[in-house]
Each structure stands twice: as C-alpha cells, then as structure tokens.
Amino acid sequence: MTRDNEDPGIPPPDGDRLRQRLALAVGSTLTIERELLGGGMSRVFVAADTALDRKVVIKVFSSAGGVSSERFHQEMLLSASLHHPHIVPILAAGVFDDCPWYSMPFVEGRSLRERMTAEGQLPIRDVLRILRDVGRACSHAHAHGIVHRDIKPENVLLAGDAAMIIDFGIAKALGAAVAGTASQPGLTRVGFTLGTPTYMAPEQASADPALDHRADLYAIGVVAYELLAGRPPFQGASSHEILKAHIADPVPDLSRVRANTPPALVALIERCLAKSPGGRPASAGELVEQFETILGASGSSERVAATGLKRWGRQMIVPALVAVGVVIAIAGARRVAATRGTINPPVKLASVAVLRFVPRGDDSASKWLADGLSDDIAAQLAATPGLRIASRMSVDQVGRADLSPRRMAETLGVKMLLDGVVRREGNELRLIAQLVEGPTGEVLWTGSYRGAPGDAGRFVEQVLGNVRGVLLDSTAAAESTRHEVRDPAAYADYLRGRALLGTRRDTAIVQAVTAFEASVRRDSTLVAGWSGLAEALMLLPLYANVPARDVAPAAERALAKALALRPEDPGAILTRGLLLRSQWRWAAAEADLRHAVVLTGTAAARQALGELLLVAGRNREALTQFDSATAIEPSAPLPWALAGVTHALLLQRADADRTIARARAADSANPSVHFLAGAAMLYLDRDREAVAELQLASRLAPRQPLLRGLLAQALARRGDIAGARRERDALRGLKGEAGAAGGLLHAEMAVGDTTAALDALERAVKESDPMFTSEPLSTPLFRSIAGLSRTSEALRLVGLLQKRSAPGGS
C-alpha cells in the first residue's frame, strides 16, 4: 500500500508482539490476515472485517512514548469526516502501547510510486489526469479545513483510471498526539517528522506555524515535476540538503528536462513551486481548473463505453468507481438518442436507495451535476406513493463503502439500489442506467441515453418512469408524474442548487439560494426550484447564522409559489412545516409535519415531527417518532441522538446510553451528534462526560452559539467557573448572529447571573432565536429561572407555556 521509506522513524515493536497487540486493539470484528510492505515509521496490515464482509487496511505508526490518545482521536475525527471519490476514507483509529493506528478500506491497485518505478516518465495526458484527481481531493479537504502535509507518490493510489489520496490529516494528527503530552511538548521526537523532505514546502521545512493549504499545492508541484522529469526538482545526500534546496535553490527548468511538456503546464508547475505561498495558485480548485484547461487543450478526452454498465462485480476495485446506475453524458447540440433498455418482469419491491452519482468527466462541473441529478431523482422517488426511499443522510453516511450489493442494501435498509456515474466528454453527454436488486445483485433494469445539456431533465423523467415501472405496477407508475422541465438552463441552475444544498456548509447554502433563485427566474413554473429555494432559505439560520426573521418572508413566498403549482408537493409541505415551526405556529406546523409523514413516510419527516413534539414537552410522543425514524434509516445518526436526548429526559439511563452509542457509531465526526450527547449527559448529571462531548462538538463546529452556551453550563457544573465565564464573555460579544441570545442565556445561568439570564431570554424572544425550536425548555438546565414571571411571559409569547412538562414527563 504505502512505502514511507523517507521517514527515518524508529523500529516498530517486534513484529509478532505488535501484531498480537494490534489484534486486541482493533476488536473482534477485524481479523489480521497479512502484512503489506510499509517501512520507516509505519507497518501496514490487511485485515478481514467480518461484520461487514470486506477487506480493510490497518496502518500502525511507531511508538515514540507518551502519545496522547485523546488528541490523536480528536484530530482523526476531523479527517474521518472527509467523504470524496478521490479520498480513501478513514474507518477507525486509536492508540495502543503509544502506537497510533488507523484503518481504511482496502483498495485494489498500486501506488503512484510503484507505477513511476515501473515506467519512469509518464505520458503527459496521464500526468494531467492524476494531478487533476489529486487536486480535487485536496480542494475538498481544504474546504473542510484539513491540510494533508505529506502529498507524495506513496500516498497516491491508482485504481482503474482514478487516483485516490490516503493519509489525509495523519501528519497533523500524529503531531498533535505528540505535542499534546505533558512530557514532550514539542514536535521534535524521532519518528514523527511532519512531512517528507523531498516534497516539503519551504515554510514547512522551516516549521512556520502559519502553514496553510498552499503547502499541499507546493507538494503537488513537486510530484508533477517528478512525474514529468523522472526525478524530483531538488535532491541531496541528506534531508538537510534537500530542505535547504527547497528554501533557497531555484527550480530547475522543466522544459529543458522534458522538451514536449506544454508551456502552460511548465508555467503552472513553476507557480506551484514558488518559494513564497503568495506566489502559488490561490487554491486547489484553481489548480484543478488549470489542469482541466491544459488537458482539454492537449486534445485528450476519455472515452465512454457504448454499452450499459456491467453487473456489479464481486471484486470492487475502488469505492469511487463502483457505479451501477445512471451515467449521464451531456451532448452538445444533438438530438436525444434514448434507449429505454430491457425491463425484467415487475418485482414487488417498495424500498430503494439512490446512491450518490459518481462524476466521471473532464470538468469541475461534473461533480455538482452528478450530485444534483441524484438528489433530484431521490426527491422525486420519495414523492411516489408506495415507495420508501433511503434518506440522503444515510446514503452519504455509507458513502462509497467497499460493500457488496447485499451488504449495501442491508446497511441502508432497502431492497433496491440505484447508482450513477456522470460523464462529460467534450460536448457530449451520455447516460447509462441500471437498477440492482440488493439481496441477489441481479440487474432488473438497464437503460442508455444520449443527448444535449438541455435534455438532462428529460433523462431524469425517463429514468424515473422506468424505475417506477420496475418497483410498482403500471397503474401506480403512470400516476407518479412530475413537472416537465421547460427550460434546460433553469433545470441546470436547480441541479446546482440541489448539489450545494446537500453539502450543509454555510457558504454553500448561500450559493444554493442564489442558484435556486436563478432557476425560478428562468422558469417560474419549476416546482422543484421554488421548493428548493424555500428549503435553502430555511437552512440559512441553522448553518449560516442568519436570523430566521430575515429569511422567513422570502421562504413563505417561495413555498406559496411551489404549492400553488402543486398543492400536494411533499417537499414543499415538509418545508412549510419547518417554516411554521420557526415562527412558533406550533399547531399548524404539527399538522403539516404529520401530513408530510403520511405523504413520504421518510425518516426525515418523522425526525422533524419528533423535534417539534420534543420542544413542546411531549417526550413520549417524540420518542415514538424518533424510534420510527431509526427503524426506517438505521444508519442515520441524528434520530438515534435525538432518541438518546429523549431517553435522558425520561431518566431512562440505559436506553440513553444505548441510543447515543448508536449515534456515535453511525457518524462519530458529526458535531450535532456530540452536541446532543452532551445535552443528554447534562440531563443525567454526568457533567464530566458532558464537557468532553461538548468540547469535541465545539471543535468540530466552532461557530455555534447555543453549543457554547451549553458548554458553559457543563463547565460550571464541573466547578470550572472561570471557563464558564470565558464562554459567557465570548457570547456577550456576538451581535446579530442567529442563536447568540440563546447561547448567552445558558452561559448567564451557568455563572449564576439570573437577571442577565432573563435579559438574554427576552432578547431571544425578540430575535426569534432558533433555540426555541431546537431545545425543550422543560429541562433541568432551566431550573434557575423556571416559574419566574419574566420566564412565564417569555414562554407565553413563544407559545410554549401550556405545553411544558416536567422532566421525565410524557
């Protein structure tokens, strides 16, 4: 897998002993089978995951003594949150005998180093494709605040025609684990060098604490130079000489080493290798665009097979390449040439998961196009009576796991799988589709489509019709109609908005609003565009700290448009319920959310209804909805976490521990999971655990005021009044951010300032703080102000005075 032969390290423990200790550390579900070639500071093993019927790789790093297990685990949580087709995901991590380890899926293929050793200089077209994939992976990681710090050929895996990156965040995690120990505060211990000298940026070589994502761009430049020249730009007899060359020596002229290198590529590599970070490209995204431009100019393009995808094979080469579904290819100005494909006799199956479609194109637009199309198909299938659709949250959580169809279907709780690949090839776009029966792996339907960009909506219609024809009888399928896309550009804007919405990131939500607004400007009859706009606006207070009162009027207008065009649109009704809830119109919101449950039967609708009931103090009713949501989507983390909070309020300690553990297992890097777990621990008076959970949540989501308020209460209950005051003072400084008043309310109660707490409560009412729709006010956390006249008046204004119940009540 990897060869860390440039890291000096220290010899790992005796092989047999290390293997025995590792077997104990990783648990009973992993059986170590063999060792791969590692070297330097790591040992690499292949293990069988008996629980999920797959192979995994376990990488163990040398012991340096005094490693902080907690710091290593916290850093690895961030790295494990990365989900991208060109990043090999982290599955688990830990420390034993001061040896950090982590596991990842087994990828069948070879490293870039192995290919370079076998072939020497690589073809320029292959170099550009590899660098493009590496850049895409870095762009995704950098957007999540993670810098690799050790990009090199050993950490690039090649499988099929794709490149994937391993070890994202490992260098920092190792450094933090060592730096976090009291006995060894520095990063100088042997075996934990952060980076590899040959690929190290000047600022990294000089240990600049301001190092940022541009260090990775420098490393990509070194790899690019080596791929084209057959040797890296800077060499030396020792690591010291190499580092000195990075800092002081000019870059050798690549065009003299390889004369046929395109001048634009030579110039781009020189920019990447600039001594100052400011002289390099601004981002990995910009780098990807440049690689794509040069690739297009060189006349290179990938070819698409003319036939449908083959049956899902037993040997999956790489998670990102497993595509058994819809392949969309955009054709320039050609007429649609759609092949409906063969449909086997209808099978009575009522559940399906639409997996994230894989972009297989030579431009950066393929990613959002693939995401948008898969989201749209999933949304339209969810609106089909008689079908149950796996939620996007569950699908994203499973990701591109190296699972058989049977295991994938079991994990998602469905019978059928619809997957896709989006390929753009010059001016042509093409679609191949298959629907796979999970338990058997048999293909029940295959179709192939070809057309212009504006035909994407028509492709979706045909895919939906064929899938419904397999899953339902012909009458039901005929009744499951949706809008006709009249304006291709409007549909393209809608798809972009849907893809951005799926990221659940602050800046992306803002961009999604803009994209949906563009779609309905182009086509005012596009129901999905209006519904998507309303949904995006409603997410702004949660993810971008925009006050709900500022977006409510626009969301109401968008919903009115959508429901006027289609009165029973399930997505619009669910979003309207959420809007009404944010406006404290509890009865109307409950009616809409219950209607959405009936229309869709989805876990998302049940979760939304459960949250309303929980806020209203109807704990047992809420628990029924959360339990139903977990039964429908067992891999979705938030219903489990919400069930844990409800069990804690009902003082059902064992059930609270059980459900919170399930939430952590589903997504240990989700800040909401740790936030809810921390709240549950506070309700159960387990303050030490509450502090740990809330501190981790705050690290994962540092801009959430309510989270910081709860952390202040947890710190105060543990006796750390100074820490609680620090959180309170920080919250007092927040002006105009959604949730600031609610967070401050908790912090003022934490430090015992009742008058200031009541002031914050009244401010929260005035600002329509989202706290009132996300947290029950009948918990022990509000004991210090419960029953006071100002509190009762605030609850009356919010509409919750008559709905409060004592902790543990129904």
Side-chain angles (χ1 to χ4, degrees):
M1 287 287 297
T2 60
R3 299 166 59 94
D4 299 309
N5 47 18
E6 291 193 78
D7 295 316
I10 60 175
D14 174 76
D16 290 339
R17 180 180 179 277
L18 180 140
R19 185 164 176 165
Q20 292 169 4
R21 297 290 296 160
L22 176 61
L24 292 175
V26 300
S28 59
T29 61
L30 294 182
T31 302
I32 299 174
E33 295 183 337
R34 67 183 189 277
E35 183 172 0
L36 296 176
L37 182 61
M41 63 180 287
S42 69
R43 300 279 295 278
V44 184
F45 300 89
V46 176
D49 185 344
T50 56
L52 296 176
D53 190 23
R54 61 181 177 182
K55 300 287 187 185
V56 302
V57 169
I58 305 173
K59 194 167 186 177
V60 186
F61 297 89
S62 304
S63 169
V67 173
S68 169
S69 177
E70 181 180 358
R71 289 292 303 275
F72 182 70
H73 181 68
Q74 288 177 351
E75 291 292 342
M76 294 299 283
L77 279 178
L78 296 176
S79 299
S81 67
L82 295 178
H83 299 286
H84 189 270
H86 296 297
I87 295 177
V88 179
I90 291 170
L91 303 177
V95 176
F96 70 94
D97 295 346
D98 282 330
C99 293
W101 66 272
Y102 81 95
S103 64
M104 60 183 172
F106 178 79
V107 177
E108 194 75 59
R110 59 177 175 169
S111 72
L112 179 57
R113 172 66 68 200
E114 289 171 320
R115 182 175 176 186
M116 292 166 63
T117 301
E119 300 179 22
Q121 293 181 344
L122 302 189
I124 291 175
R125 185 172 61 183
D126 289 357
V127 169
L128 285 167
R129 288 172 175 167
I130 291 168
L131 295 174
R132 179 188 62 191
D133 289 353
V134 171
R136 286 172 173 171
C138 287
S139 178
H140 178 79
H142 295 167
H144 288 75
I146 299 176
V147 181
H148 193 291
R149 300 170 184 249
D150 198 19
I151 296 289
K152 58 184 178 181
E154 288 81 359
N155 285 338
V156 180
L157 301 185
L158 304 178
D161 59 352
M164 302 182 72
I165 312 302
I166 65 171
D167 283 6
F168 255 109
I170 303 302
K172 185 181 179 184
L174 292 174
V178 174
T181 61
S183 60
Q184 297 285 352
L187 295 178
T188 59
R189 279 193 273 173
V190 176
F192 285 93
T193 302
L194 300 187
T196 303
T198 299
Y199 306 92
M200 198 176 287
E203 66 271 23
Q204 194 173 359
S206 59
D208 185 348
L211 177 146
D212 62 16
H213 66 281
R214 291 170 294 185
D216 283 349
L217 305 189
Y218 185 94
I220 292 175
V222 177
V223 172
Y225 190 104
E226 186 176 6
L227 286 171
L228 292 165
R231 64 175 185 270
F234 302 114
Q235 297 175 292
S238 66
S239 295
H240 175 75
E241 290 183 6
I242 297 173
L243 295 178
K244 182 180 178 181
H246 280 297
I247 294 172
D249 292 357
V251 180
D253 187 350
L254 178 59
S255 62
R256 291 180 177 273
V257 182
R258 187 162 179 177
N260 66 335
T261 306
L265 182 55
V266 172
L268 182 59
I269 293 172
E270 288 179 351
R271 284 184 62 202
C272 289
L273 294 175
K275 303 299 182 185
S276 169
R280 299 169 203 156
S283 68
E286 178 185 336
L287 200 56
V288 170
E289 291 178 0
Q290 293 294 322
F291 287 139
E292 288 173 346
T293 300
I294 299 170
L295 183 62
S298 68
S300 63
S301 61
E302 298 171 339
R303 302 188 62 184
V304 185
T307 58
L309 297 177
K310 295 182 179 180
R311 175 179 170 177
W312 196 323
R314 294 181 180 178
Q315 299 296 325
M316 295 190 180
I317 296 177
V318 58
L321 300 179
V322 178
V324 192
V326 183
V327 179
I328 296 187
I330 295 178
R334 300 187 182 180
R335 299 173 57 187
V336 176
T339 306
R340 293 193 58 179
T342 302
I343 299 180
N344 291 346
V347 178
K348 293 289 185 177
L349 295 172
S351 57
V352 62
V354 182
L355 305 183
R356 286 283 181 194
F357 295 172
V358 177
R360 301 298 301 146
D362 55 12
D363 66 348
S364 56
S366 295
K367 177 63 168 65
W368 65 257
L369 179 62
D371 282 350
L373 285 165
S374 59
D375 279 341
D376 191 31
I377 289 175
Q380 299 309 321
L381 288 176
T384 302
L387 290 184
R388 181 172 63 80
I389 309 300
S391 73
R392 300 314 273 162
M393 181 182 295
S394 293
V395 169
D396 288 345
Q397 179 60 30
V398 173
R400 291 276 162 188
D402 188 6
L403 302 177
S404 67
R406 178 175 61 83
R407 290 291 190 184
M408 181 76 78
E410 288 176 353
T411 302
L412 292 169
V414 298
K415 297 290 186 181
M416 301 290 288
L417 301 168
L418 179 65
D419 195 4
V421 177
V422 175
R423 180 185 292 274
R424 180 167 182 165
E425 191 176 70
N427 288 325
E428 185 174 85
L429 196 103
R430 188 179 168 194
L431 177 145
I432 303 170
Q434 291 183 345
L435 187 69
V436 177
E437 185 178 32
T440 65
E442 293 297 326
V443 175
L444 298 182
W445 168 76
T446 300
S448 178
Y449 307 86
R450 184 176 297 181
D455 296 315
R458 205 171 309 166
F459 293 166
V460 170
E461 294 289 349
Q462 294 174 359
V463 170
L464 288 168
N466 284 310
V467 170
R468 288 165 175 156
V470 174
L471 300 177
L472 305 169
D473 60 45
S474 58
T475 302
E479 293 173 352
S480 301
T481 59
R482 77 190 271 272
H483 67 275
E484 178 184 352
V485 179
R486 295 179 174 85
D487 189 322
Y491 186 65
D493 287 329
Y494 163 74
L495 289 178
R496 179 169 177 78
R498 180 56 58 188
L500 289 164
L501 206 59
T503 68
R504 292 299 195 264
R505 296 182 65 83
D506 48 5
T507 55
I509 300 297
V510 175
Q511 293 170 348
V513 170
T514 301
F516 286 130
E517 287 175 337
S519 75
V520 295
R521 276 199 304 269
R522 295 178 185 276
D523 183 356
S524 61
T525 67
L526 188 59
V527 177
W530 288 113
S531 181
L533 175 59
E535 183 182 354
L537 289 167
M538 287 304 302
L539 287 174
L540 284 175
L542 295 176
Y543 292 93
N545 289 337
V546 177
R549 64 178 182 274
D550 292 350
V551 299
E556 286 179 325
R557 289 192 295 271
L559 281 172
K561 290 281 191 179
L563 291 168
L565 292 165
R566 190 187 303 155
E568 288 293 291
D569 183 75
I573 290 173
L574 176 57
T575 304
R576 186 175 65 184
L578 297 176
L579 175 62
L580 292 169
R581 189 178 74 180
S582 74
Q583 297 170 332
W584 309 335
R585 296 163 64 182
W586 305 106
E590 182 176 347
D592 264 355
L593 295 177
R594 289 192 181 278
H595 190 30
V597 167
V598 172
L599 287 175
T600 68
T602 61
R606 293 185 181 278
Q607 177 184 322
L609 177 58
E611 288 171 328
L612 180 146
L613 296 170
L614 184 65
V615 167
R618 295 153 64 182
N619 298 334
R620 297 189 188 278
E621 292 179 72
L623 187 58
T624 298
Q625 296 301 323
F626 297 142
D627 286 345
S628 297
T630 60
I632 295 170
E633 298 293 347
S635 61
L638 292 187
W640 286 111
L642 287 163
V645 167
T646 313
H647 281 303
L649 286 170
L650 293 168
L651 303 180
Q652 298 167 345
R653 291 173 172 79
D655 287 329
D657 287 339
R658 173 182 57 83
T659 49
I660 287 172
R662 288 292 300 266
R664 290 196 199 99
D667 190 353
S668 62
N670 189 319
S672 296
V673 167
H674 296 288
F675 169 74
L676 293 169
M681 294 302 101
L682 279 175
Y683 300 154
L684 295 173
D685 295 323
R686 288 154 61 174
D687 304 328
R688 182 183 62 80
E689 295 171 77
V691 169
E693 293 286 354
L694 293 170
Q695 284 179 334
L696 179 54
S698 183
R699 181 179 176 83
L700 294 169
R703 295 181 56 192
Q704 298 301 318
L706 183 57
L707 194 163
R708 299 188 68 174
L710 251 66
L711 177 58
Q713 285 204 314
L715 291 169
R717 287 170 61 166
R718 280 204 68 191
D720 185 1
I721 301 300
R725 287 198 180 102
R726 283 195 299 272
E727 295 295 336
R728 188 272 311 270
D729 293 344
L731 288 166
R732 281 183 173 179
L734 296 180
K735 303 294 183 183
E737 288 196 28
L744 183 59
L745 166 60
H746 279 285
E748 299 289 10
M749 290 189 295
V751 300
D753 192 335
T754 301
T755 300
L758 291 170
D759 291 343
L761 175 63
E762 290 169 349
R763 174 186 157 192
V765 173
K766 183 179 179 180
E767 296 178 358
S768 300
D769 195 283
M771 172 193 71
F772 296 112
T773 61
S774 60
E775 180 184 13
L777 273 66
S778 57
T779 76
L781 303 185
F782 295 90
R783 188 178 293 129
S784 64
I785 63 170
L788 300 179
S789 59
R790 291 174 67 182
T791 303
S792 297
E793 176 60 15
L795 291 174
R796 186 190 66 78
L797 292 173
V798 175
L800 291 173
L801 183 62
Q802 303 302 318
K803 294 179 168 57
R804 295 174 69 244
S805 66
S810 62

